[in-house]
Coordinates of all heavy atoms in Angstrom, one line a residue:
L374 N 35.4 -63.5 16.0 CA 35.8 -64.2 14.8 C 34.7 -64.2 13.8 O 33.5 -64.3 14.2 CB 36.3 -65.6 15.1 CG 36.6 -66.5 13.9 CD1 37.9 -66.0 13.2 CD2 36.8 -68.0 14.4
A375 N 35.0 -64.0 12.5 CA 33.9 -64.1 11.5 C 34.3 -65.0 10.4 O 35.5 -65.1 10.1 CB 33.6 -62.7 11.0
I376 N 33.3 -65.6 9.8 CA 33.5 -66.3 8.5 C 32.6 -65.6 7.5 O 31.4 -65.6 7.6 CB 33.0 -67.8 8.6 CG1 33.7 -68.5 9.8 CG2 33.3 -68.5 7.3 CD1 35.2 -68.6 9.6
G377 N 33.3 -64.8 6.7 CA 32.5 -63.9 5.8 C 33.0 -63.8 4.4 O 34.0 -64.4 4.0
G378 N 32.2 -63.1 3.6 CA 32.4 -63.1 2.1 C 33.2 -61.9 1.7 O 33.8 -61.1 2.5
P379 N 33.4 -61.7 0.4 CA 34.3 -60.7 -0.2 C 33.7 -59.3 -0.4 O 34.4 -58.4 -0.8 CB 34.6 -61.3 -1.5 CG 33.4 -62.0 -1.9 CD 32.7 -62.5 -0.7
V380 N 32.4 -59.1 -0.1 CA 31.8 -57.9 -0.5 C 32.2 -56.6 0.2 O 31.9 -55.5 -0.3 CB 30.2 -58.0 -0.4 CG1 29.8 -59.2 -1.3 CG2 29.8 -58.3 1.0
I381 N 32.9 -56.7 1.3 CA 33.3 -55.5 2.0 C 34.6 -55.0 1.6 O 35.0 -53.9 2.1 CB 33.3 -55.8 3.6 CG1 34.3 -56.9 3.9 CG2 31.9 -56.1 4.1 CD1 34.6 -57.1 5.3
G382 N 35.3 -55.7 0.7 CA 36.6 -55.2 0.3 C 37.6 -55.3 1.5 O 37.5 -56.1 2.4
D383 N 38.7 -54.5 1.4 CA 39.7 -54.6 2.5 C 39.4 -53.6 3.6 O 39.3 -52.4 3.3 CB 41.1 -54.3 1.9 CG 41.6 -55.4 1.0 OD1 41.3 -56.6 1.3 OD2 42.2 -55.1 0.0
Q384 N 39.2 -54.1 4.8 CA 39.0 -53.2 5.9 C 40.3 -53.1 6.7 O 40.8 -54.1 7.1 CB 37.8 -53.8 6.8 CG 36.5 -53.7 6.2 CD 36.0 -52.3 6.1 OE1 36.2 -51.5 6.9 NE2 35.2 -52.0 5.0
P385 N 40.8 -51.9 6.9 CA 42.1 -51.8 7.5 C 42.2 -52.3 9.0 O 43.2 -52.7 9.5 CB 42.4 -50.3 7.5 CG 41.1 -49.7 7.3 CD 40.3 -50.6 6.5
A386 N 41.0 -52.4 9.6 CA 41.0 -52.9 11.0 C 41.0 -54.4 11.1 O 41.1 -55.0 12.2 CB 39.7 -52.3 11.7
L387 N 40.9 -55.1 10.0 CA 40.7 -56.6 10.0 C 41.8 -57.3 9.3 O 42.3 -56.9 8.3 CB 39.3 -56.9 9.3 CG 38.1 -56.3 9.9 CD1 36.9 -56.8 9.1 CD2 37.9 -56.6 11.4
E388 N 42.1 -58.5 9.9 CA 42.9 -59.5 9.2 C 42.0 -60.4 8.5 O 40.9 -60.7 8.9 CB 43.7 -60.3 10.3 CG 44.8 -59.5 11.0 CD 46.0 -59.1 10.1 OE1 46.0 -59.5 8.9 OE2 46.9 -58.5 10.7
R389 N 42.5 -61.0 7.4 CA 41.7 -61.9 6.5 C 42.6 -63.1 6.1 O 43.7 -63.0 5.7 CB 41.3 -61.1 5.3 CG 40.5 -61.9 4.3 CD 40.3 -61.2 3.0 NE 39.5 -60.0 3.2 CZ 38.2 -59.9 3.0 NH1 37.6 -61.0 2.6 NH2 37.6 -58.8 3.2
Q390 N 41.9 -64.3 6.2 CA 42.6 -65.5 5.7 C 41.6 -66.3 4.9 O 40.5 -66.6 5.3 CB 43.0 -66.4 6.9 CG 43.6 -67.7 6.5 CD 44.0 -68.6 7.6 OE1 44.3 -68.2 8.7 NE2 43.9 -69.9 7.4
A391 N 41.9 -66.5 3.6 CA 41.0 -67.2 2.7 C 40.8 -68.6 3.1 O 41.8 -69.3 3.5 CB 41.5 -67.1 1.3
I392 N 39.6 -69.1 3.1 CA 39.3 -70.5 3.6 C 38.5 -71.3 2.6 O 38.3 -72.5 2.8 CB 38.6 -70.5 5.0 CG1 37.3 -69.7 4.9 CG2 39.6 -69.9 6.0 CD1 36.5 -69.9 6.2
G393 N 38.0 -70.6 1.5 CA 37.2 -71.4 0.6 C 36.3 -70.5 -0.2 O 36.3 -69.3 -0.1
E394 N 35.4 -71.2 -1.0 CA 34.4 -70.4 -1.8 C 33.2 -71.3 -2.1 O 33.3 -72.6 -2.0 CB 35.1 -70.0 -3.1 CG 35.5 -71.1 -4.0 CD 36.2 -70.5 -5.3 OE1 36.7 -69.4 -5.2 OE2 36.1 -71.2 -6.3

Side-chain angles (χ1 to χ4, degrees):
L374 176 68
I376 306 297
V380 297
I381 59 169
D383 291 324
Q384 291 290 323
L387 301 180
E388 293 286 3
R389 177 191 295 267
Q390 178 182 332
I392 59 172
E394 62 182 27

